[in-house]
């Protein structure tokens, strides 16, 4: 049983960043579930990555340690590579089925 | 003053993130995502992480979003070509998103992270300190990321090339 107590944001200033990151991450998950356009889904994945980045920077800044910000730096690097490959795959898919609708991509379902 | 800036930026980022999900036109989604990234860069500035804020704006708003816009315009996607989902799926995904917020908040509500000192007391976000870390402790990941970029570049060219 989770004891729900009043959200005390002011007690610890990191907590408000935690809640903001939770909300942004959930918006990203909601977008992945809701949209069928593959480009929008990639954008929602970026949103989720940014929520995690925000949390890392918040913890790193409040604790005065630079490691968290370095991790964010590498997350940005990986995200850039991921977006490039993902959009190339999308162009390749569009060339074959003339659409970016992911519901048309069910040929591997068997 | 700092509090008000935080709440303003949080409001901007949440509203623009919602507009990314809910707007019909993919180009509007990309533009709202740019707004969201700028507000997150503002959060980084507020947390005294200046280098990351600049890098975030340059890479996300400058490079990745241009890539998205370029692909959307290349594929000529607009409001008419946007696939429609039945309303029940939209409703279900909104409900599940709200439930995810509820579960994560319930998991973190008893969390008590060590209350560190204020970010303005540290100088970890400056380019001098981060550069020192990058070229001493994080030298191996730094070099590996260059290999990652090279392989991604080769892969992208190979995937998106027309088969003749």
């Amino acid at each position: 049983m989770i004891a729900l107590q009043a959200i005390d944001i002011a007690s610890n200033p990191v907590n408000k960043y935690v809640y903001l990151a939770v909300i942004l991450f959930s918006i990203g998950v909601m977008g992945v579930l809701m949209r069928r356009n593959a480009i929008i889904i990639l954008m929602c994945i970026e949103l989720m990555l940014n929520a995690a980045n925000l949390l890392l920077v918040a913890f790193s800044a409040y604790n005065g340690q630079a490691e968290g910000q370095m991790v964010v730096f590498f997350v940005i690097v990986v995200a850039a590579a991921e977006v490039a490959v993902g959009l190339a795959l999308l162009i390749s898919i569009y060339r074959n089925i003339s659409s970016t609708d992911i519901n048309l991509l069910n040929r591997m379902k068997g | 003053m700092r509090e008000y800036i935080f709440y303003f930026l949080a409001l901007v980022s949440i509203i623009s993130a919602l507009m990314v999900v809910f707007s019909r036109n993919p180009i509007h989604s990309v533009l709202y995502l740019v707004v969201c990234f700028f507000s997150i860069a503002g959060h980084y500035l507020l947390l005294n992480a200046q280098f990351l804020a600049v890098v975030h704006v340059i890479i996300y708003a400058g490079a990745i979003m241009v890539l998205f816009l370029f692909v959307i315009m290349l594929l000529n996607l607009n409001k008419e070509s946007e696939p429609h989902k039945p309303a029940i799926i939209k409703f279900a995904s909104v409900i599940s998103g709200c439930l995810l917020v509820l579960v994560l908040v319930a998991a973190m509500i008893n969390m008590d992270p060590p209350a560190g000192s204020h970010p303005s007391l540290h100088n970890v976000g400056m380019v001098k300190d981060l550069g020192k870390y990058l070229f001493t402790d994080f030298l191996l990941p730094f070099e590996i990321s260059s290999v990652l970029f090279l392989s991604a570049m080769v892969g992208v060219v190979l995937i998106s090339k027309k088969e003749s």
Side-chain angles (χ1 to χ4, degrees), chain A residues 1-44 46-47 49-96 99-103, chain B residues 2-3 6-7 10 13-14 17-18 20-26 29-30 33 36-37 40 43-44 46-49 51-52 55-56 59-60 64-65 67-68 71-72 74-77 82-86 89-90 92-98 100-101 104-119 122 124-126 129-130 133-134 137-138 141-142 145 148-149 152 155-156 159-163:
Chain A
M1 174 94 187
I2 302 160
L4 284 177
Q5 58 203 28
I7 301 174
D8 191 7
I9 287 179
S11 68
N12 194 338
V14 187
N15 280 357
K16 60 189 181 188
Y17 285 101
V18 173
Y19 295 126
L20 176 64
V22 163
I23 291 171
L24 283 180
F25 187 85
S26 304
I27 291 172
V29 172
M30 195 172 79
V32 170
L33 292 175
M34 186 187 292
R35 300 304 293 263
R36 269 167 47 180
N37 193 341
I39 291 181
I40 313 275
I41 289 177
L42 268 179
M43 276 160 38
C44 291
E46 293 300 309
L47 209 58
L49 280 173
N50 270 287
N53 281 353
L54 183 65
L55 205 55
L56 275 168
V57 174
F59 279 123
S60 150
Y62 273 97
N63 286 318
Q65 289 173 333
E67 281 88 352
Q69 302 192 9
M70 294 315 302
V71 172
V72 171
F73 191 68
F74 290 113
V75 168
I76 291 175
V77 167
V78 172
E82 170 240 327
V83 165
V85 176
L87 289 176
L89 281 172
L90 253 173
I91 290 178
S92 172
I93 288 168
Y94 189 83
R95 221 172 258 149
N96 284 321
S99 169
T100 54
D101 189 349
I102 53 162
N103 279 24
Chain B
R2 235 187 152 86
E3 291 277 304
F6 169 78
Y7 287 119
S13 46
I14 289 173
L18 281 175
V20 170
V21 176
F22 285 107
S23 64
R24 285 242 163 265
N25 198 334
S29 288
V30 173
L33 197 58
C36 185
F37 285 159
I40 288 175
H43 282 298
Y44 290 168
L46 212 59
L47 285 166
N48 215 17
F51 177 63
L52 266 186
V55 163
H56 191 267
I59 295 183
Y60 270 111
I64 294 182
M65 287 300 109
L67 208 60
F68 271 112
V71 169
I72 286 176
L74 189 73
L75 303 186
N76 201 11
L77 297 178
E82 183 69 15
H84 289 284
K85 260 197 171 173
I89 295 195
K90 283 182 181 167
S93 47
V94 169
I95 293 289
S96 47
C98 295
L100 186 65
V101 173
L104 286 175
V105 167
M108 292 177 177
I109 201 160
N110 286 326
M111 178 191 68
D112 192 20
S117 49
H118 201 267
H122 310 294
V124 292
M126 300 296 176
D129 305 273
L130 283 184
Y133 265 104
L134 191 60
D137 293 353
F138 289 84
F142 180 71
S145 64
L148 173 76
F149 266 130
V156 165
I159 288 170
S160 59
K161 199 161 63 86
K162 258 198 187 114
E163 294 165 26

